[in-house]
Amino acid sequence: MGSGGPGHGNPGAPAQPLQRCDAAAAQWAVGKTNTVQHVEEARRRSGALMARVLRPGQATTLEFNAERLNLLVDATGRFTTASCG
């Protein structure tokens, strides 16, 4: 009875703290090329749990995620913006 799904976690376990994204810490990536190393370094510096690269005209989800770093690239593959959400 009652395993899995929302609300069925271990009630004695402490809640996992959010890994808040700090976009200011990832601004060094702006102007750099889109490489795995640069994405990971920007993610690490920002403190985000995850990162995604967004290309011009790409469809994206609109939900805000405080643990996610968004890196926008231009047509040449260089980062133009680093933001959280």
Side-chain angles (χ1 to χ4, degrees), residues 34-69:
N34 178 13
T35 65
V36 172
Q37 293 81 9
H38 288 152
V39 171
E40 180 56 22
E41 181 67 14
R43 187 207 59 78
R44 186 189 66 73
R45 287 185 183 206
S46 74
L49 179 64
M50 65 191 92
R52 66 179 176 178
V53 175
L54 303 171
R55 291 163 180 76
Q58 178 180 343
T60 62
T61 58
L62 297 178
E63 86 283 355
F64 180 83
N65 184 337
E67 297 179 306
R68 179 174 54 212
L69 175 66

